[in-house]
Structures are given as C-alpha cells and as structure tokens.
Amino acid sequence: MLLTLITFIPLVGLLLIGLVPKSNTTLPKWIAAAVSAVDLALVGHLIANFERGESAMQFVENFTWIPQASIFYTLGVDGISLPLLFISALLMFLAVLASWRVENKPKAYFAMLMLLAVGLNGVFLALDLILFYIFWELVLVPMYFLIARWGGERREYASLKFFIYTLAGSVFMLVGIIALYLLKGSFNVIELIDSGLPANVQWWLFGAFFLGFAVKVPLFPFHTWLPDAHVEAPTAGSVLLAGVMLKMGTYGFLRIALPILPEGFASWQLAIVVLAVISIIYGAITAFAQTDAKKLIAYSSVSHMGFAMLGIGSATIAGINGAMAVNVSHGFVTGMLFLVFGMLYDRLHTREISKISGVMVTMPVIGGLFAFASFASLGLPGLSGFVGEFLSLMGSWQSAAIPYYLTVIAAVGVLLGAAYMLWLLQRSILGKPSELVEKNAEPLRVNEFLSVAPLVVLIVVMGLYWSSLLVFTDPATSVLVQVVGV
Amino acid sequence: MLLIPEALLVFATLRALFSDKLPFGDRGGAICGALVSVIGLVLIALQPTGEALFGGRLVFDPASKLIRMGILIAAALWFLWLVGRRSGRNREAAAIGALVALGSLLMATSVEIITLVVALELATLPAYILVGYRRDSRRALEGALKYFLLSMTTSLVMLYGLSLVYGMSGTTMLFDITGGDSTLAMIAALLVFTGLFAKLSAAPFHFWAPDAYEGADTWAVGFIATVPKMAGFLVAIRFAVALGNGSPVVPMLLAAAAVSSMILGNLAALGQRDVRRIMAYSGVAQIGYALIALVAISEATISAALYFIVAYSIGTLGIMLAFSERDARLSLMAGLSRRAPAAAVAAAALLFSLIGLPPLAGFMGKLYLFTSAIDAGQLALVLVGVVTSIVSAAYYLRIVKAMFVDAEVDTEDEEADCVEVAAMDGSATASTTAVIAAVVILSAGIFGSAIIEYFGFVIR
C-alpha cells in the first residue's frame, strides 16, 4: 500500500483544500505543506526500506482494473524510478514552501500543486502503460492552470503552447501503446520487456514513443515550448517543470522505449545521440544570447537534458548511470536556480539581466546561493552537476555505436555551460548594485531559506559521494544495458 | 413493461402542457420530467435485453439499452436544469423536451423503416421549436427556420433512399434488408447516408448546424444537439450493418464522412468566438471520430463507438448547461470561475474529457475506439483522429481559458450587448447539473470496466 499512499496522499490534500472556506487564505498552504511533507517522509521511508542490490521491481502492487481490456493497476519501484520519485516529492515540498506568499487565489493554487503531485508521483511508479499514460496526461492539467492563471505576461500563449506540444507528443505515444497491446496482448511494462517484435515494427513503435518522450525531455527540435513555459510559469511551476517534468521524458526512455523495444532503439540510437549533441550545443549557445534570466536558465536546461539523452543514447552502464545522475542533479540544481531567481524576482519584479547587478552587495545571502547554484550547474567537480556530465560523456566515449567526434563536440558543451553561467553571474550578481537592486534589497526570509537549504546539502553530498546515488541505480541500469545489448 | 419509460414520457408531456392548472405551476412540467426520466432510467436498467415487441419492430438489445439509458441521463440532467430556469415560460419547454426524449427512445429501439421514420420525426420536429424558443429574437427565429428547412430536406432525401431500399429488398424490416453491390443499392445507400449524416451533423453535410445553433439559447442547443444524436448514431450503426453488407460503397462513404468531419470540424472550430458555434463544430469532429468505428464494423468497434457517443453527449450537454448563464460569446464567458466556481470547474472537467484526457470517459471512449479500429485495420483513420484531437485541444482550451483566466469584460460600453445579456436565461440549478454531469463522466471513465461488463460489450 505504500506506493499507493505516496501517489494519492496529495489527492487527500486536494480534497481537504477544497473544503476550506474561501475566506481562509492561510489554511490551504499549511495543508499543502503538511501533505507534501508527509509524502516526502513516506518516500524517505521507502528509500530506507529499499533493497539496494536488487534489480527487480520492489513494493509491487497489482490489482485488476479493467479486466476486459487487461488494464491493471500496477505500481512498483526500482533503482531507476526511486531517485526520480525522491526529487518529485522533495521539489513538491520545496515548491510549496517557496509559494508561501502567493496571494492570488491561494486555494486554487495549492489545489493545483496537489493535483500535480499525484500525476508526477504516479508517472514514476506506474507499471501499466495505460496507468502510466493517465498520470502522464494528468500532469498537463494542473500545469496548464498554473501557467495560465499565475504566470507572467505572455502566460496565455505559453500555457496553450505547452499544452498542445506535450499533448501532440503524447497522443502518438498512446498510439504506440495501443499498437503494443494489440501485438503483444499486454500493457504491463515488465512483461513487455524485450518484446521480440520484428525489427521494422519496433522501429515504428520506437518512433511513436520517441515523439512522446522527446517533446517532454525536450530534445532539439522539440524544445520550443520549454523556454516559453519556463519563463511564464510562476516560480513553483518553473521548479517543477524543470526539476521533475522534464525527467518524465528521460524516464520514459529508460522505463519503456529502451527495454521494450531494444531493436527499435538500435536503429534510432544514432539519431538520438546526434539530437542530444545538438541539444547540448544549441541550448548552450542560445543561452548566451538571452537577456531574460529565466529564459537563460530554461535554455541551460535544454543543454543539460541533452547530456542525459547522450548518456541514454550510449546504452552503456556508465552512460545510463550518468543520465540518472544528470536527472537528479538537474532536479536539484535547476530547481534551486529557479527558486533563488524567484526570490530575486519577488523583490525586483524584473527578469531582465541588464537591470539586475550587484546582488552580492545588497543581498549577499541570495547572491551567494545564486552563485552556488550556478557553480553546481556549470559542473564544478565536488558538486552534483559534475557527476552526471562526466559519466554521460564517459559512457558515450565507451559506446561503440557513437563516433568519437560526437563525444568531443558534446564535451565542448561543458565548456560553453561554464561560460554562460559565469557570464550571468558576472553581470547580475557581481558589480555595482543597480538602482533597482539597491532600492528593493530585502534579506532572506525563513520560508525562502527552508526552501533551498536541503538542496544545498544534497548538491554537496551528491557531488562528493557519487555512490549515494549510484548504489540505487546501478543494479537496475546493469540489467537494462543487458536487455538493450547494443 | 418494456415501454413504460416511453409511456411515462407521454405522461410528462401532457402533465407539462397543463402545468398552470396543476401544483408547482410553471415549473411542474420540468419537475415531473426529471422524475420520470430518473424512474425510466432505473426501469431500463432493470430490463432484460434480447427481447422484441410488435413482431420485431422494436428490439431491446444491449446497444439500445445503453443508448436509452444515455438519453434518459441526459434528459434528467436537462429537466433538472429547467427546474431552476429563471425567465419563466418553462412548461412548453418541458413538454417539447419530453417529446424529443420520447422520439429518441423509440428511435433507439426501432428496426423497421416506417416506425423508425416516425420516431425520427418525433425526435427532430419538436426540436425546432426549442431552437426558436425566444420568440422575440430574430436570430432565434432564423435559426429555427434553418433547422426546420434542413430537417425536412434531409428527411425527404432519406425517405427517398429508404423507398429505394424497400423497392430493392421488398421488406421494411432492417434486419432483412440486403445491401449488395447493384447500382440501385449504391444510390439508395448514398441517399440514406446523406440524410443520416446531415442529421448527425457529419461533414460534408454539417454546414447548417453552427448557424442554427448560434441563433438558439445555449440550453436548448445542448439538448437538441445531444439527445437525438445518441439515438441517431445507433440508427446509423444499424444502417451501416444492413446496407454495408457486401457493398463496396458504404465503407467508402463512411470513411469519407469520418475523415472530412474530423478535419473540417476541428479546423473550423478553431476560428469561432461563440461557444455554441465551437460546440457545433466540436460535434462535427466528435461524430467523425465515432464514424471511424462504422468503417470497420466489428463487435468491438461498435461497443467502443456507443460508449464514446454517450460520453460525448452527456459531456456536451453538461458544458452547454453550465454556460447557459449568459450569452454564449466567449468574451462574455470571462470570469465564470468567479461567478459560478462549481459550474466552471465541472465544465472544465467535461472539456478535458472531450479533449480526451484520462481518466475521464472521453479518454476511455477514444482509447477503446482507437484500439478496436486499429485492430480492425484502420490505422490511417485513427492517425487522422489522433492528429486532429491535438488540434481540438486548442479550441477547447480557449473556453477553459475564458472561464478561468480572462478578466470579466465591462459590458457597459456595448449597450446593444447589454440588452441581449439581460435577456439571457440563467438557472439556479445550472451548477448542480454541470457537477452531476462531470461526476457521471469521471466515474464512467474510472469504472469503465463495470459498464462494459454490464452491457456485455466486447472490448479489444
């Protein structure tokens, strides 16, 4: 029952928030904080009881749901889903804390966050393709409302674009799911592993899943929804979008597309790697050109997720572990970047880099946190960002299917990443305080401190002790690599 | 026993006509209609399937059972809405609604051509009074006239086709009709399906629907666009089976209608600024999805299509009733989430169901529909359906956006509009109705398996 609890406790929160009278504007956030804290504690309990050397699914729950169509309610967790479930629960809790001062319709706002939590947790736990699809699409609705109602100026455009793009990808995934079912008679992710379908069928099916997942990751050229959505979303929305939702895409590759369709993957491998490398370089170069800080962080996400896709594309143990590390680290780091920038935005009400300078002078703590997150983002050894990029590049170098020059080009991306992040720091955090920064300086608040402190600790721990993550992922990735067997 | 729900509706019609002399006054008819619909719903649920009446002219199979229950759920919701309608003169609406529901119920069971035509006219003729229910509005009268003329014309086309069918096979019993590939059979099929497509507002015979709907009140459109449609779709299934047998033309006709409905309906809806027009085109699109099932007929596709059409109809009715508060222009929908939060949330859920988001019934319907159609070898049609559903998200979301995001407009500077807004009907029960519809759609999605089991459907 543990996994069901983790998934659906936020739904209880949603109902409780629904019962709060409209006049009471403080209770919803307390309910949301309590519920997401409980959820996080349950995930902690799960991690503590998780059998680390085991590669199979654990805590499996299996109930018949629609027997006539062999649709089951199946949940389970393994080394690939557990870290992602953890960032989902953690970032949800932190996002609630970071939203403490939301005054525009707090009831609806926190209700949407709770609904989002159900979808995000569920995606990483579902082992039935239909159930997976339900959670996958469930995420769209609250995120649409979060952007459309609490977003920035161009929120209408951004929310619609976000919805249509991701829906477009996922309906093709649905066709893929239906086709898999008709061919193999099952929706169960585990039963379908190494489906043994003919290579040309696998090629088509992989294409269908690829569209669904690549939009979410997002892989160049399917990334154009991301900068708009990230920029216009409220802080909590950006944190969850970048920190958790993008991982749904990479998770989909690791959980569904690769193990079920290994031969399809083999013929798509080079395309994935090439697109990953383009994403790395393109994201980084585009980040240079941004004048909007949130947009810069958004493009840096495209670049970082490119590393995750490179690791997945390599189909080596190091590469896939690297992809997992990028996923987790990007969740921490980009989550933190958006949180800290959200603090600045609350004070300054601008996202223009040119108007922000000298934050370090007037708000040293916020400036310091921003600098810390930037260093983690650019891959400073000793912080979490380094682990994933290093392992992904290593895996890509090891893989026989990937030409060496592609790995070399990808490695240039690390350099570019350092350059645009440092340049951002130099322009906005250092220097003489601009008038805007001078006037609106305000020290760090308690809820703000609480919302980033855990991330600081985790970024350092993960950067120093890689094994704290790899001990979970390694057994599952080894099996995955065997199945894919490229 | 089998026809008690129909008899109750006849009673409700008469009760409504004499409302002013009876207790509860003007609202009495609606109250009686709602009660009768619920009782009828329970009775139909208890009825066994597989029986026939009047020498096999009326059959009570699982398909007609589902459609009849769908019709009565929709009718019950609509009467419930009518109970709270504020602007008075409700008794005629209740009487007409009961007649439409009665005709639709009969249409769902009749398998003999003459009975069928009578039932069809009973379901569609009173509807045109509902379109023109606001006697003082030019646009309503224009809409009513359009609806009436088109309804008559298509009936005539269909009747001509049916006369050819009779001449060909010498019987009026649907199950004995032979399709075949003779020229005569093709012409007959063409005429019959032209009529049916027009009645179902499937492209390319859909053009009348947006214009007719735009003139009418939202609540009236919601009823006439959904209740007869459920029954009409079942009739289309029966004809597709009867005439499609051995005919090369019928599947082609159906495929052409499905593709053009999906594409035209979805694209045309994008440009609309009036919820009634959007929903009219959305109806065209949704019929297009459902018609995929008729191209490749199997037990599974038909089961899926029936589930789908009922989910669509109840969802659409709920949306229309939620929006009945004001004029249906998108700009006036702004801020509905503030004025009527429950109705807005329910309508949003129903709109998401129409987009096809899980776990709502609209998603389950599409899932079953597409699965069974791919299984029957119609991948190309399904892909058209999938791509056009992405397009549909854009216009459904515009309605959601209008309700939740847009600020309320100041209507004062548009004085002409003001008069019109004031004339619009609201209902004290609009929120309740929409919420019930949303709950039905949500539970029909989650407990889909129970429904499938109950009706003995085949899902593949």
Side-chain angles (χ1 to χ4, degrees):
Chain A
M1 280 311 283
L2 184 57
L3 299 187
T4 300
L5 273 180
I6 290 174
T7 310
F8 287 105
I9 275 194
L11 200 61
V12 177
L14 174 77
L15 297 177
L16 286 178
I17 290 174
L19 293 177
V20 174
K22 228 183 203 164
S23 53
N24 192 336
T25 52
T26 49
L27 198 54
K29 61 186 174 193
W30 283 104
I31 295 175
V35 166
S36 51
V38 169
D39 213 27
L40 183 59
L42 285 174
V43 174
H45 179 72
L46 179 70
I47 293 173
N49 289 294
F50 185 82
E51 193 67 52
R52 291 182 189 183
E54 177 65 53
S55 63
M57 284 293 160
Q58 303 184 30
F59 299 92
V60 175
E61 295 170 17
N62 195 6
F63 301 100
T64 311
W65 180 18
I66 305 180
Q68 299 89 339
S70 61
I71 298 174
F72 290 82
Y73 174 86
T74 314
L75 300 179
V77 68
D78 72 348
I80 291 175
S81 47
L82 186 65
L84 298 173
L85 181 66
F86 173 65
I87 50 171
S88 164
L90 175 73
L91 289 181
M92 180 54 67
F93 178 59
L94 300 183
V96 170
L97 290 187
S99 312
W100 215 246
R101 305 219 316 168
V102 166
E103 266 148 27
N104 177 12
K105 305 218 167 242
K107 188 174 153 182
Y109 178 87
F110 287 102
M112 284 298 122
L113 280 185
M114 292 294 100
L115 190 59
L116 188 59
V118 176
L120 290 174
N121 293 343
V123 159
F124 296 126
L125 291 173
L127 293 181
D128 182 280
L129 285 172
I130 293 296
L131 194 63
F132 175 84
Y133 187 80
I134 288 176
F135 287 125
W136 177 280
E137 295 286 60
L138 184 61
V139 170
L140 283 188
V141 176
M143 192 47 96
Y144 168 79
F145 281 114
L146 281 176
I147 300 175
R149 281 189 87 171
W150 290 274
E153 282 152 30
R154 292 171 66 240
R155 55 185 192 213
E156 288 174 14
Y157 170 76
S159 55
L160 189 62
K161 190 170 177 183
F162 159 78
F163 197 99
I164 302 276
Y165 258 70
T166 39
L167 182 70
S170 46
V171 289
F172 287 105
M173 177 171 93
L174 182 64
V175 175
I177 291 175
I178 293 174
L180 254 183
Y181 168 66
L182 291 175
L183 292 166
K184 299 293 294 181
S186 170
F187 284 119
N188 188 298
V189 177
I190 305 302
E191 282 172 20
L192 286 168
I193 285 180
D194 205 2
S195 59
L197 292 167
N200 63 330
V201 177
Q202 290 208 15
W203 189 88
W204 282 103
L205 288 178
F206 196 94
F209 283 106
F210 176 84
L211 278 176
F213 300 143
V215 169
K216 213 69 158 201
V217 170
L219 211 52
F220 178 90
F222 306 105
H223 67 282
T224 58
W225 63 271
L226 178 130
D228 289 308
H230 277 43
V231 169
E232 300 304 328
T235 298
S238 306
V239 169
L240 294 166
L241 259 174
V244 191
M245 268 186 69
L246 304 189
K247 279 76 199 174
M248 289 163 60
T250 46
Y251 176 72
F253 278 106
L254 291 173
R255 173 64 66 230
I256 295 168
L258 261 62
I260 296 180
L261 305 162
E263 286 183 53
F265 170 69
S267 40
W268 279 78
Q269 187 174 20
L270 200 59
I272 290 177
V273 171
V274 169
L275 289 178
V277 172
I278 295 177
S279 300
I280 293 172
I281 301 296
Y282 171 87
I285 291 176
T286 322
F288 270 109
Q290 300 310 316
T291 55
D292 179 320
K294 260 185 139 176
K295 220 163 193 163
L296 190 150
I297 305 174
Y299 276 108
S300 86
S301 288
V302 175
S303 181
H304 288 301
M305 293 312 286
F307 280 105
M309 286 312 297
L310 181 68
I312 292 171
S314 77
T316 55
I317 295 181
I320 292 179
N321 276 333
M324 284 305 297
V326 173
N327 277 339
V328 174
S329 163
H330 184 262
F332 295 156
V333 173
T334 308
M336 180 162 168
L337 276 173
F338 276 123
L339 284 171
V340 178
F341 187 78
M343 300 171 192
L344 280 179
Y345 183 80
D346 281 347
R347 290 164 171 77
L348 310 175
H349 300 287
T350 181
R351 299 190 303 255
E352 286 298 313
I353 300 173
S354 57
K355 290 186 186 157
I356 307 171
S357 75
V359 173
M360 202 58 134
V361 179
T362 54
M363 293 174 271
V365 184
I366 294 180
L369 288 170
F370 200 86
F372 175 82
S374 309
F375 283 122
S377 170
L378 62 82
L380 190 74
L383 299 178
S384 64
F386 175 72
V387 186
E389 291 179 6
F390 175 78
L391 286 174
S392 291
L393 287 171
M394 196 168 99
S396 151
W397 192 263
Q398 284 170 350
S399 168
I402 302 177
Y404 290 126
Y405 62 87
L406 282 178
T407 314
V408 175
I409 299 175
V412 175
V414 181
L415 204 67
L416 293 173
Y420 65 74
M421 268 342 269
L422 288 175
W423 195 35
L424 172 68
L425 272 186
Q426 190 197 350
R427 283 180 292 173
S428 58
I429 305 296
L430 304 176
K432 211 169 132 262
S434 60
E435 201 184 323
L436 189 71
V437 173
E438 194 113 45
K439 248 196 288 179
N440 297 296
E442 243 182 86
L444 196 66
R445 284 186 285 268
V446 178
N447 71 307
E448 292 176 339
F449 171 75
L450 288 176
S451 69
V452 290
L455 292 176
V456 175
V457 177
L458 286 165
I459 288 170
V460 174
V461 170
M462 187 181 151
L464 294 177
Y465 303 101
W466 304 9
S467 58
S468 58
L469 171 73
L470 299 187
V471 74
F472 288 102
T473 60
D474 207 47
T477 47
S478 311
V479 173
L480 178 60
V481 170
Q482 260 174 22
V483 171
V484 177
V486 180
Chain B
M1 283 304 285
L2 294 166
L3 287 177
I4 290 178
E6 281 83 350
L8 285 172
L9 279 170
V10 174
F11 168 73
T13 312
L14 297 172
R15 164 74 179 73
L17 285 176
F18 294 101
S19 285
D20 17 354
K21 310 270 185 259
L22 295 167
F24 303 111
D26 197 35
R27 292 183 203 286
I31 296 173
C32 174
L35 286 176
V36 156
S37 304
V38 173
I39 296 170
L41 186 64
V42 175
L43 288 177
I44 294 179
L46 297 174
Q47 280 171 3
T49 55
E51 301 205 19
L53 281 183
F54 308 123
R57 281 175 176 79
L58 299 184
V59 296
F60 297 83
D61 51 5
S64 64
K65 182 168 181 173
L66 171 70
I67 293 294
R68 288 169 88 213
M69 288 179 73
I71 290 167
L72 285 180
I73 293 174
L77 286 171
W78 185 77
F79 280 121
L80 178 61
W81 181 92
L82 199 62
V83 170
R85 180 164 174 263
R86 290 202 190 93
S87 42
R89 198 160 77 90
N90 293 335
R91 60 172 193 155
E92 294 145 61
I96 294 163
L99 278 179
V100 172
L102 171 64
S104 304
L105 285 184
L106 286 173
M107 208 177 11
T109 47
S110 46
V111 288
E112 192 261 348
I113 290 175
I114 295 167
T115 322
L116 185 63
V117 171
V118 172
L120 190 104
E121 291 308 319
L122 183 58
T124 49
L125 263 185
Y128 97 94
I129 308 175
L130 278 182
V131 176
Y133 203 65
R134 274 170 53 209
R135 286 173 294 197
D136 50 347
S137 158
R138 262 165 189 276
R139 281 169 58 211
L141 294 180
E142 184 192 326
L145 188 64
K146 277 181 184 157
Y147 185 89
F148 180 69
L149 289 178
L150 205 108
S151 178
M152 285 294 103
T153 318
T154 52
S155 292
L156 290 177
V157 172
M158 211 174 108
L159 273 175
Y160 188 54
L162 290 174
S163 69
L164 293 181
V165 168
Y166 174 68
M168 214 166 56
S169 42
T171 173
T172 54
M173 301 297 285
L174 257 185
F175 293 137
D176 300 334
I177 287 171
T178 45
D181 53 356
S182 64
T183 319
L184 189 64
M186 286 182 200
I187 296 173
L190 186 67
L191 291 171
V192 170
F193 279 106
T194 302
L196 276 174
F197 290 156
K199 295 233 182 274
L200 292 170
S201 77
F205 306 105
H206 65 286
F207 45 84
W208 61 276
D211 291 340
Y213 289 1
E214 191 184 11
D217 285 351
T218 318
W219 57 272
V221 173
F223 190 67
I224 60 169
T226 54
V227 170
K229 200 174 270 181
M230 286 187 257
F233 190 74
L234 181 55
V235 172
I237 292 179
R238 295 215 162 105
F239 274 109
V241 174
L243 297 175
N245 186 14
S247 163
V249 182
V250 171
M252 271 165 54
L253 278 177
L254 289 163
V259 170
S260 53
S261 299
M262 288 187 282
I263 294 176
L264 288 176
N266 279 310
L267 291 184
L270 283 175
Q272 305 304 324
R273 307 233 161 270
D274 183 300
V275 171
R276 288 163 299 190
R277 289 186 76 91
I278 294 181
M279 295 315 287
Y281 282 114
S282 128
V284 176
Q286 302 271 351
I287 276 291
Y289 304 136
L291 283 177
I292 295 177
L294 300 196
V295 179
I297 290 182
S298 71
E299 255 184 285
T301 53
I302 290 178
S303 306
L306 288 170
Y307 179 93
F308 177 86
I309 202 81
V310 172
Y312 155 76
S313 299
I314 293 175
T316 302
L317 178 68
I319 292 167
M320 298 301 247
L321 294 183
F323 291 159
S324 57
E325 175 209 42
R326 275 187 166 192
D327 192 359
R329 264 161 300 168
L330 264 184
S331 54
L332 294 174
M333 210 69 74
L336 188 73
S337 65
R338 209 159 310 128
R339 296 193 300 274
V345 169
L350 295 172
L351 286 164
F352 283 123
S353 168
L354 288 185
I355 296 176
L357 285 195
L360 301 156
F363 165 74
M364 288 302 180
K366 264 189 196 167
L367 175 71
Y368 297 145
L369 195 62
F370 290 167
T371 308
S372 56
I374 294 178
D375 197 37
Q378 298 298 334
L379 182 64
L381 285 176
V382 169
L383 284 179
V384 175
V386 163
V387 173
T388 49
S389 343
I390 304 168
V391 177
S392 77
Y395 58 83
Y396 290 128
L397 281 180
R398 270 180 47 193
I399 308 181
V400 175
K401 191 203 79 174
M403 290 189 294
F404 285 92
V405 182
D406 293 353
E408 233 166 311
V409 280
D410 197 11
T411 37
E412 268 173 48
D413 48 320
E414 304 168 58
E415 241 170 79
D417 281 349
C418 246
V419 179
E420 193 127 12
V421 171
M424 270 297 165
D425 296 327
S427 168
T429 43
S431 295
T432 323
T433 325
V435 169
I436 295 175
V439 170
V440 168
I441 290 298
L442 179 65
S443 34
I446 294 176
F447 304 110
S449 85
I451 295 176
I452 298 158
E453 187 107 275
Y454 181 76
F455 291 101
F457 283 165
V458 184
I459 288 295
R460 161 80 213 211

